[in-house]
Amino acid sequence: MSFPLDHFYRFAKAAQVPSKDRGWTSAWPLYGAQRYGLIETARGYDEGIRNFLYLSARQVGKTTAFVDLMGLFWPQRYEGITGIMVSDTDENRDYRRDVHGQMLHRLPGKWQYPTRLDNQLVRAWDGIGSRLMYESVGNKFNKSFGRSRGINFLVADEVGAWAHQRAVQALNAALSDAHPQRLYMWNTTAQGHDIFKTMWKEAETSPVTRRIFLGWYLDERLRVPQDNRAIWDQYGSERLTDDERIWMKNVEERYRIELTVEQLVWFRSILDTKFYGDEDMRAQEYPCLPEDAFVSFGSKFFRPALIRQLREVSKRAPEPTGYRYEWGRWLDDTKVEACDPNEDGAITVWEEPDPEGVYIVSCHPAYSSSAEAPDDVVQVWRAYPDSLVQVAEYVASGGDLTVRCAWSCLHLAGSYRHARPFADVYFVMDVEMTGFSVLNEIMRFESRGWGMRQQGKTDLRNLMGAVRHYYFRRPDSLARGVRAVEWKSQASFRPWLLNQLRDVLENGHIEIRSPELIDELQA
């Protein structure tokens, strides 16, 4: 079955929509971002995709095309559609429902079916058996949300502002996998590191979901003509910055769009005129690339330009290899097998151990630094006199058994040692909260071989010969010998630690190769 794009265009030509600049006006002609999104949707639909994610810049017509117009078109185009439009709040739900009602009233007769039911929660059409329900997520999760309804058409609006991940899960459970005219559309502007960020990341390799990014430059209105001398005199004379070259090059490579000078001047000007110099808010509201959009509200710690530079550097990293732990009950039953480095739970290795290398193995056990840090993370860095380069990373999403976190530390530390007489592998671990349990596992292994089938066996225990404990001296203490084993994250340490991290990143002393780590810095 093909997507009815031509039929939708005829519907849009007949429809009127509310405009903030012109009041009620014709929906036609569609803006560039709307056309692009619809063409990409049609292409995916014709390839068998039924689930679509739309990440959009502000004010490019995303809601008009994919919530208002499509919300009324699809249930009237096909008989027996059971659809639902979900907003983030009750107020937005009621507003969208009122807009739908006015749009229906203004449609020519041949483009609208009479309704047999029309109330606050549902609009049902007579004669074709289709209905569109109106729902909101709200601030408190409703356990009945999405239940007792078989849904084959979904318009989910501003998903990034949804307060509950379970709302997405509940809706997914209610969606049909077989209806021939099923269509599911999740759209939003970015709202920081939110549920939509997770959905967008998971859909990257999904065979059943299509991601569609609606960048601001797709809208032909977002430009400053050259006869606007006041704007051009201030923002049109500067040469391209290094950051502008990076994102413009990426836009051209990914989307085959070469930006005009008029568009660039507009983009420069809104930084001052709309966002008062706040680059993070400009990146979030008018992202140039999908990864630019997910900036946490109020965050100005790492500049968007720095994040883009880090991403560019990471692209030049060697092609990684992957390994997977096949955990046994005992450490000597555990195996390491080759796998895809993009696989969940894989050990990603950019550089194999170098006999001449000096390495730092760092471990963050799940929830050790914060109740909002749920992953076990072990990273390996090669240390040079003036820089650190990331060479390996292991992440257990959601955390794993404490003993497995300890064993992964022992394995990576031992692997990068090369049995040298003096250890050139240094180990640092956060021992706050859950980290103390991981440290205890390592200490039990050191002292008794605990965790091995044959306790007392010496060759595997010598893995720890590659590890020097990390000793942290408080910066406010001048006394020699005042040391604390490992690292203990505390609120008072974080400001100076993060400021030092920012300094070395800005000066190019750290080379990060993990895209997920760059995402964390952006957050």
Side-chain angles (χ1 to χ4, degrees):
M1 173 184 169
S2 297
F3 189 86
L5 187 58
D6 290 339
H7 195 84
F8 178 82
Y9 284 164
R10 292 196 294 271
F11 175 78
K13 289 177 181 178
Q16 290 190 348
V17 294
S19 165
K20 70 174 184 178
D21 297 322
R22 294 174 290 169
W24 282 94
T25 185
S26 174
W28 194 265
L30 297 175
Y31 300 135
Q34 296 171 323
R35 296 194 303 271
Y36 174 84
L38 288 164
I39 290 171
E40 288 299 305
T41 301
R43 181 178 289 117
Y45 197 90
D46 293 348
E47 294 172 0
I49 304 295
R50 297 295 182 267
N51 197 52
F52 296 88
L53 306 182
Y54 304 87
L55 175 61
S56 171
R58 291 286 300 274
Q59 305 300 320
V60 297
K62 170 261 305 175
T63 301
T64 297
F66 303 106
V67 178
D68 294 338
L69 289 171
M70 193 62 70
L72 292 179
F73 170 77
W74 204 263
Q76 295 187 95
R77 178 72 175 88
Y78 299 107
E79 295 186 3
I81 292 295
T82 300
I84 185 170
M85 197 218 76
V86 184
S87 298
D88 53 336
T89 64
D90 292 347
E91 293 79 7
N92 284 338
R93 174 202 63 196
D94 295 342
Y95 175 74
R96 294 260 73 86
R97 187 197 168 282
D98 181 56
V99 168
H100 277 184
Q102 294 182 68
M103 289 175 61
L104 270 178
H105 178 71
R106 292 168 180 267
L107 277 171
K110 68 176 183 178
W111 288 104
Q112 64 168 299
Y113 284 89
T115 55
R116 62 176 176 81
L117 182 63
D118 194 347
N119 59 40
Q120 186 179 10
L121 298 179
V122 63
R123 177 173 283 115
W125 284 267
D126 194 19
I128 56 174
S130 292
R131 64 177 58 84
L132 183 65
M133 298 172 284
Y134 295 87
E135 186 63 271
S136 67
V137 175
N139 294 323
K140 294 183 179 180
F141 181 68
N142 183 352
K143 292 183 179 179
S144 64
F145 182 82
R147 296 183 183 274
S148 302
R149 308 178 224 184
I151 299 169
N152 46 52
F153 174 61
L154 166 69
V155 176
D157 192 28
E158 292 299 346
V159 181
W162 289 15
H164 308 286
Q165 181 173 348
R166 286 182 294 173
V168 174
Q169 297 166 342
L171 273 180
N172 277 326
L175 302 180
S176 168
D177 293 325
H179 193 282
Q181 286 88 38
R182 66 191 183 279
L183 176 63
Y184 311 122
M185 311 175 82
W186 311 77
N187 73 85
T188 193
T189 50
Q191 308 270 344
H193 276 234
D194 48 38
I195 177 57
F196 195 81
K197 170 68 164 62
T198 303
M199 296 170 64
W200 188 265
K201 178 64 177 177
E202 291 177 349
E204 184 175 5
T205 57
S206 172
V208 297
T209 300
R210 178 65 52 87
R211 306 188 306 176
I212 299 176
F213 175 63
L214 305 177
W216 61 268
Y217 37 79
L218 292 169
D219 192 323
E220 59 276 8
R221 298 170 300 166
L222 304 185
R223 55 188 295 276
V224 177
Q226 295 192 28
D227 58 7
N228 188 336
R229 297 315 309 171
I231 300 296
W232 267 79
D233 289 345
Q234 185 163 352
Y235 301 103
S237 59
E238 297 179 7
R239 294 182 177 181
L240 291 179
T241 65
D242 290 340
D243 181 50
E244 288 170 343
R245 289 190 181 92
I246 289 174
W247 66 256
M248 291 174 71
K249 176 174 174 285
N250 275 276
V251 168
E252 185 173 358
E253 290 177 349
R254 292 194 207 179
Y255 305 110
R256 299 178 182 176
I257 296 175
E258 187 173 352
L259 275 80
T260 66
V261 180
E262 290 83 359
Q263 290 174 304
L264 179 60
V265 169
W266 178 87
F267 188 67
R268 288 173 172 176
S269 68
I270 64 168
L271 180 63
D272 293 335
T273 59
K274 289 182 178 289
F275 300 108
Y276 307 106
D278 190 334
E279 293 186 17
D280 290 294
M281 284 302 297
R282 182 183 65 173
Q284 179 170 266
E285 302 296 87
Y286 293 96
C288 301
L289 301 165
E291 55 267 28
D292 294 343
F294 300 105
V295 180
S296 297
F297 275 116
S299 171
K300 290 180 67 67
F301 198 77
F302 294 106
R303 298 180 300 113
L306 173 62
I307 297 298
R308 279 193 284 267
Q309 291 168 11
L310 294 176
R311 294 192 196 281
E312 284 299 301
V313 170
S314 71
K315 292 177 183 178
R316 299 195 291 267
E319 192 69 23
T321 55
Y323 301 96
R324 178 181 60 250
Y325 288 117
E326 298 289 350
W327 298 110
R329 181 182 178 188
W330 307 100
L331 180 56
D332 36 357
D333 288 336
T334 296
K335 299 179 180 178
V336 179
E337 305 287 350
C339 72
D340 186 331
N342 296 314
E343 182 179 308
D344 288 342
I347 310 167
T348 305
V349 178
W350 291 275
E351 292 183 21
E352 297 288 341
D354 187 324
E356 303 300 322
V358 176
Y359 296 97
I360 298 171
V361 178
S362 58
C363 174
H364 172 279
Y367 302 107
S368 60
S369 64
S370 166
E372 299 177 353
D375 301 335
D376 290 327
V377 181
V378 184
Q379 294 173 340
V380 184
W381 301 81
R382 184 167 179 177
Y384 293 91
D386 61 348
S387 64
L388 291 177
V389 177
Q390 188 178 21
V391 297
E393 180 178 72
Y394 167 66
V395 178
S397 298
D400 203 342
L401 299 181
T402 300
V403 67
R404 291 178 179 174
C405 183
W407 288 352
S408 64
C409 293
L410 299 177
H411 168 251
L412 288 172
S415 296
Y416 279 85
R417 185 197 173 201
H418 281 291
R420 285 168 293 194
F422 297 100
D424 284 335
V425 173
Y426 298 84
F427 182 54
V428 53
M429 182 174 66
D430 190 345
V431 295
E432 184 74 357
M433 296 191 287
T434 56
F436 191 70
S437 298
V438 177
L439 178 63
N440 279 339
E441 291 289 347
I442 292 175
M443 293 174 68
R444 280 196 288 268
F445 185 88
E446 279 187 292
S447 61
R448 301 193 299 275
W450 176 257
M452 295 176 57
R453 181 187 299 277
Q454 301 178 29
Q455 297 183 28
K457 188 177 177 181
T458 59
D459 55 337
L460 278 181
R461 282 196 300 174
N462 283 339
L463 287 173
M464 284 306 297
V467 177
R468 290 179 182 172
H469 276 296
Y470 173 84
Y471 289 92
F472 168 61
R473 178 178 296 172
R474 283 170 36 204
D476 59 345
S477 172
L478 299 178
R480 287 186 172 273
V482 179
R483 300 184 299 185
V485 177
E486 311 305 331
W487 170 272
K488 198 168 185 178
S489 61
Q490 299 177 25
S492 59
F493 294 165
R494 290 174 186 161
W496 63 260
L497 180 68
L498 288 172
N499 275 278
Q500 287 187 337
L501 175 61
R502 181 172 58 185
D503 289 348
V504 293
L505 285 172
E506 289 279 3
N507 291 325
H509 293 307
I510 296 182
E511 182 176 331
I512 298 175
R513 291 169 170 171
S514 166
E516 290 75 19
L517 177 54
I518 298 174
D519 287 345
E520 290 294 324
L521 294 176
Q522 184 183 36

